[in-house]
């Protein structure tokens, strides 16, 4: 089952190492004697300073990785929104191309009909009338040719955009797989940290010493 990246930062910001607690002793106030025998617990094994340092370093890495994954998720979501808008624009272009094709098909039929009408009427028309109607026909045909050229250019441009869009979608899908793998790897590291670090006790003096080391290592 895939795990979701939810509230990671709250889980990894501070190393939840185990704390050492004392044993309560019950005293009888009348005779000031211990009413229950005190059984000393075996001393809890503490992490060595090197082990504590490793756990702290791993926690820091997990925190930074959670932030990086969150940033990648935000970028992924932004990209998804952008691609969705781009797809809508491409669809508008394709719809316009289909509508333009239908309109020009009707115009072509009208031009052909006009040609047949002129052809049928030619024997009965005066020369001037025939020339006028022929000129009108040629102008209409020329306008039609121009419209076809413009429409085809628009369709080709939209097809080129569609090709680029398809490549973007492929890259987008690949980025999802990469993000998913990175997220799963992060959860594995978190599980390992919890198992190996979160429940183990440590010496506070070691923690202070490590923090002092870190402070000294910071650039001045």
């Amino acid at each position: 089952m895939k795990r979701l990246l939810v509230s990671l930062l709250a889980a990894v910001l501070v190393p939840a190492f185990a704390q050492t607690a004392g044993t309560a002793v019950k005293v009888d106030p009348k005779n000031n004697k211990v009413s229950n025998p005190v059984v000393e617990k075996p001393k809890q094994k503490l992490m060595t300073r090197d082990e504590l340092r490793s756990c702290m370093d791993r926690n820091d890495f997990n925190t930074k990785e959670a932030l990086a994954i969150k940033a990648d998720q935000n970028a992924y979501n932004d990209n998804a929104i952008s691609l969705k808008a781009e797809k809508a624009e491409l669809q508008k272009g394709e719809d316009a191309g289909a509508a333009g094709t239908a309109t020009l098909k009707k115009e072509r039929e009208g031009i052909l009909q006009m040609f047949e009408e002129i052809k049928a009427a030619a024997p009965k028309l005066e020369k001037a009338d025939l020339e006028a109607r022929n000129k009108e026909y040629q102008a209409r045909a020329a306008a039609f040719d121009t419209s076809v050229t413009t429409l085809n250019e628009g369709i080709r441009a939209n097809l080129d955009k569609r090709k680029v869009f398809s490549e973007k979608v492929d890259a987008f899908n690949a980025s999802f797989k990469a993000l998913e793998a990175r997220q799963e790897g992060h959860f594995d590291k978190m599980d390992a940290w919890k198992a190996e670090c979160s429940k183990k006790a440590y010496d506070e003096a070691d923690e202070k010493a490590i923090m002092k080391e870190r402070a000294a290592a910071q650039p001045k």
Side-chain angles (χ1 to χ4, degrees):
M1 182 182 294
K2 298 297 181 184
R3 296 167 290 187
L4 299 178
L5 184 66
V6 179
S7 301
L8 281 175
L9 300 184
V12 299
L13 282 177
V14 179
F17 299 116
Q19 299 296 322
T20 303
T23 302
V25 178
K26 188 175 181 181
V27 179
D28 187 339
K30 293 181 179 180
N31 54 23
N32 199 30
K33 294 181 179 180
V34 176
S35 60
N36 291 321
V38 177
V39 178
E40 291 188 3
K41 294 182 179 180
K43 291 185 178 180
Q44 191 173 16
K45 184 179 179 181
L46 302 180
M47 282 191 287
T48 66
R49 183 173 297 185
D50 286 341
E51 289 173 337
L52 177 60
R53 183 185 295 106
S54 175
C55 284
M56 292 173 69
D57 289 343
R58 287 165 63 187
N59 183 71
D60 290 345
F61 175 84
N62 289 337
T63 300
K64 292 177 182 178
E65 184 68 356
L67 291 171
I69 290 173
K70 186 63 177 177
D72 283 350
Q73 284 185 322
N74 291 337
Y76 176 87
N77 292 335
D78 291 343
N79 196 13
I81 294 172
S82 177
L83 288 175
K84 185 177 180 180
E86 189 172 344
K87 181 180 179 181
E89 286 300 314
L90 286 171
Q91 188 60 52
K92 287 181 181 179
E94 291 174 0
D95 292 343
T101 298
T103 298
L104 288 179
K105 182 178 179 181
K106 290 182 179 180
E107 176 64 6
R108 181 177 181 276
E109 292 172 353
I111 292 173
L112 291 175
Q113 182 179 352
M114 182 180 183
F115 174 79
E116 293 299 327
E117 290 173 353
I118 294 173
K119 183 179 178 181
K124 302 176 183 179
L125 294 176
E126 295 290 335
K127 182 179 180 181
D129 290 339
L130 180 60
E131 288 178 352
R133 294 186 64 176
N134 190 49
K135 185 176 181 181
E136 181 182 356
Y137 164 78
Q138 291 178 352
R140 187 176 179 182
F144 173 80
D145 289 342
T146 300
S147 296
V148 168
T149 299
T150 300
L151 177 65
N152 286 337
E153 288 175 351
I155 291 175
R156 281 194 295 270
N158 207 65
L159 287 173
D160 290 340
K161 290 179 182 178
R162 173 65 71 175
K163 182 179 179 181
V164 173
F165 175 77
S166 180
E167 293 172 352
K168 289 181 181 180
V169 170
D170 289 343
F172 176 74
N173 291 334
S175 73
F176 172 79
K177 293 180 180 179
L179 177 59
E180 185 179 46
R182 184 177 187 182
Q183 180 174 299
E184 285 298 306
H186 172 71
F187 278 118
D188 289 341
K189 286 183 173 62
M190 283 291 299
D191 289 343
W193 184 89
K194 289 177 183 177
E196 298 167 15
C197 298
S198 64
K199 300 301 181 181
K200 294 184 178 180
Y202 63 93
D203 190 330
E204 290 185 3
D206 286 336
E207 181 186 28
K208 292 179 180 179
I210 293 170
M211 297 302 293
K212 186 175 181 181
E213 289 174 4
R214 290 184 171 187
Q218 291 296 322
K220 297 179 180 179

